[in-house]
Amino acid sequence: MENGRISVLVGRNDEEALELGKKLKIGGAKVSYAPENALHIQHEVMRSTPDALILSGTTKHKNELCTLLRQTANTPMIIVIGEGKTDYAAQDYADLVLDKRDTNVFGKLFLQLFGKSGIQTDTYADRFSRLERMIADALFELCITKNYNGYLYILEAIKLAAQTGPIARGISKDIYPSIAAKFSVTPWSVERNIRTAIHSSWAKSAASVKREYFGPFTLDDSWVPTNSEFIFIVADRLTLRMGGHI
């Protein structure tokens, strides 16, 4: 365990596994990702020796992969995210099998990992609540209030951006569709309402507050941030306030 932080390797091609990885990162885990290919996963496990490995039910040759991993000196805890009875066979080679349809799937995973690592199990809840409060405070300072249709979309977008490394960020490819799915709207509607809220509130915001978040960009009086500039700059500012990582 590196510097007291549990390390987790997550397979990339499963939406539930990726979402769990994001939440574990907020909880304080060191999270990395590997393609859902048995050879790539085996190589990455041997290279980085994670404390835990999360595989999806769709990973091919899970049994063979896990059998090989158990023969190594630093075998990670093997966790499979499956769905129903078809994945019960995974219990033969996995330390933990979770059903993605379980509404408490993250709670069970978090307790299994952090409960055995000496880390307080309320770490995730505390950090996540703190992040949401900080975003809400930032939006209030920037005059984006709940009466804007885009308020919740912006809050969710900043939260997603703060949880994801800069290289993995894609506002049109990842963030808009994710928010649209959550609120049962179209990505276009998400984009439009965020843009409207930013443009409508920008003139109301105090110059000192805008300068605090957006720095030298505000030296140009005609500058108004685009959706991606607003979301990622605010996310990065809040990330720094939380010690450099979420």
Side-chain angles (χ1 to χ4, degrees), residues 95-120:
D95 297 297
L96 179 66
V97 180
L98 297 172
D99 189 335
K100 66 174 66 176
R101 301 170 302 176
D102 186 346
T103 56
N104 193 35
V105 63
F106 176 70
K108 293 177 180 177
L109 172 61
F110 195 84
L111 182 62
Q112 183 77 10
L113 291 177
F114 289 84
K116 293 187 176 182
S117 68
I119 299 175
Q120 295 297 315

Side-chain angles (χ1 to χ4, degrees), residues 28 45 52 59 74 84 100 107 118 121 142 167-168 173-174 197 205 218-219 235 244:
V45 169
T59 304
N74 298 300
K100 66 174 66 176
T121 55
L142 291 163
I167 295 176
K173 182 181 177 182
D174 300 313
S205 303
T218 59
L219 294 175

Side-chain angles (χ1 to χ4, degrees), residues 106-183:
F106 176 70
K108 293 177 180 177
L109 172 61
F110 195 84
L111 182 62
Q112 183 77 10
L113 291 177
F114 289 84
K116 293 187 176 182
S117 68
I119 299 175
Q120 295 297 315
T121 55
D122 61 355
T123 301
Y124 166 75
D126 288 347
R127 290 177 66 82
F128 197 72
S129 295
R130 183 185 172 205
L131 173 62
E132 289 192 318
R133 288 196 302 270
M134 290 176 68
I135 296 172
D137 288 344
L139 295 184
F140 180 79
E141 289 180 324
L142 291 163
C143 296
I144 297 180
T145 54
K146 293 181 180 179
N147 61 296
Y148 288 108
N149 290 332
Y151 175 85
L152 289 177
Y153 302 159
I154 297 176
L155 193 153
E156 187 70 18
I158 295 173
K159 193 162 54 176
L160 290 170
Q163 295 171 37
T164 309
I167 295 176
R169 291 173 176 174
I171 192 163
S172 296
K173 182 181 177 182
D174 300 313
I175 291 180
Y176 290 158
S178 177
I179 296 172
K182 179 172 182 177
F183 292 97

Side-chain angles (χ1 to χ4, degrees), residues 218-236:
T218 59
L219 294 175
D220 180 356
D221 292 336
S222 65
W223 182 78
V224 178
T226 63
N227 287 8
S228 59
E229 287 171 336
F230 186 95
I231 289 163
F232 295 139
I233 290 173
V234 172
D236 288 340

